[in-house]
Amino acid sequence: METFVTVIVVLAMIALGVLLIHLLNSQHRDRIAAFHYGRSGTPVPGPAPSHPRRTRGRAAASVTGGRRDHRDHAAKAETRPRVLSDVTLTAKADDADTVTITTKAADPVLPLRLASPALGILSSKAYAEDGTVSPVGTGTGPFEITKLTGKTKATLNRFDGYWGGKAKASGIDVSWIADGTARAGALRSGDVDIAEWIPTAQAKLLDENTRHEVPSVRTDSLILNTASGLFADATLRSAAREAVDGDVLVDSVFGGYADPAQGLFGPAVSWAADRRVEVTGRATAATAAQVKAETKGKTLRLATYTNRAELPEAATVLQQQLERAGFTVKQDVREYTQMEADLLAGKYDALVFSRVTLLDTGDAVAYLASDYTGDGVYNIAGLKDSKVDQAIKSAAEEGDTAARQQKIMRAEAEILRTDAVVPLVHEKVVQGISDDVEGVLLDPRERSLVDVDTRLK
């Protein structure tokens, strides 16, 4: 029997709209419904500016016959996809089945860039003369987008001509819902079949058979503003690092659905532990008395956002720890989109932050370059350190996989030396999956959820 699955998912902006999936359709019981949350469900010729994001997929990663062709719109977009932010490339359709992509310089991770969920392949008819882009009926993959409803819902039907085989579900209904409690409640009530990113406080309320956890490549950290304010002083950053104990968050805030931080990269990055480099050369930490004397009563501005339910609670714990170390702390907690500009402008001293460490390419260099190089597009810490820049550059230029990974870990050690970031925990993904569904992907990289084998039993 053909089925259509319902999914609840937390999702951020999906570049080029290609990875959007499916509107809730209550008229058909044999469809799968899904919930996502994102900054925008509206397709644009490039993704939103860098921010903690979730993307799904592989549905738009293939070129098949003459029906669809690949253009270099993404490379020429006014706001370029983050995965292309540090590379110059052109794409040319040689014929109906061949695309030639040329980079200005050798790029060891080009295949990974092209497989990124931040890029998509659309038919030429997707691009209107006024510059707007529509993924409805113009993409590739096992499902075809048939309807978008603003920023909240999308509808996909199975595309039987998909080269990778016929999907077992007849379609997917997706809605984006910010409230994790609401996502969990919809799963418990049977309104949906899959609920992604269940808040840890809600996880234990699910039946054991519907609760699934997997270590993720997401690390929660305390980011310190090294460019201005209190934490321009390395001794105060060191004092903050020594004051903060992320281990207590594992049970008290995350309910056991996290691992104590090992560094920037946790257990889900399988090669990191064996290549980890000892951190040396940190500044001497100021004592509590020295902190009070140096700060002269100035308030430490601690920020976090409500999009991830655990972060405000974690911020409260960290505030108490920092105050014991001599800091005077004031929190600012808002929805992420309301504070991103201020974060990038350096208007806070510290940020409790959740970050996927294997970004669009699955290569850790992209994350390090974005967040910690002097010209990084998402350098909230305002870090400018020549040794860090050189270590990341060396990793980026390395083509051998094992050597590249070792250089990534050397770069991690250089970053941690500066105390621009204090890793707290490595999160586990808690997915809610109905007993009626099988074939759901549990992906540590948070890229995939539903594929051709996902179906209702």
Side-chain angles (χ1 to χ4, degrees), residues 66-120:
R67 183 171 183 267
R68 297 173 173 87
D69 59 14
H70 179 75
R71 311 283 186 176
D72 58 346
H73 288 266
K76 296 177 180 178
E78 184 175 334
T79 303
R80 295 211 301 170
R82 181 179 57 193
V83 71
L84 300 181
S85 63
D86 59 345
V87 66
T88 300
L89 62 79
T90 58
K92 178 183 177 182
D94 296 329
D95 55 45
D97 300 306
T98 307
V99 174
T100 298
I101 296 176
T102 305
T103 59
K104 186 175 181 180
D107 184 18
V109 296
L110 180 61
L112 297 179
R113 293 184 194 275
L114 300 180
S116 166
L119 297 180

Side-chain angles (χ1 to χ4, degrees), residues 6-10 33-36 175 182-184 186-187 192 194-196:
T6 324
V7 191
I8 293 189
V9 188
V10 180
F35 287 83
H36 283 75
S175 296
R183 294 194 302 274
L187 181 68
V192 300
I194 304 171
E196 192 174 22

Side-chain angles (χ1 to χ4, degrees), residues 394-413:
S394 178
E397 293 173 345
E398 180 59 63
D400 178 77
T401 299
R404 188 180 183 91
Q405 291 170 347
Q406 188 60 61
K407 289 184 176 182
I408 287 169
M409 298 314 293
R410 291 192 189 116
E412 178 198 60

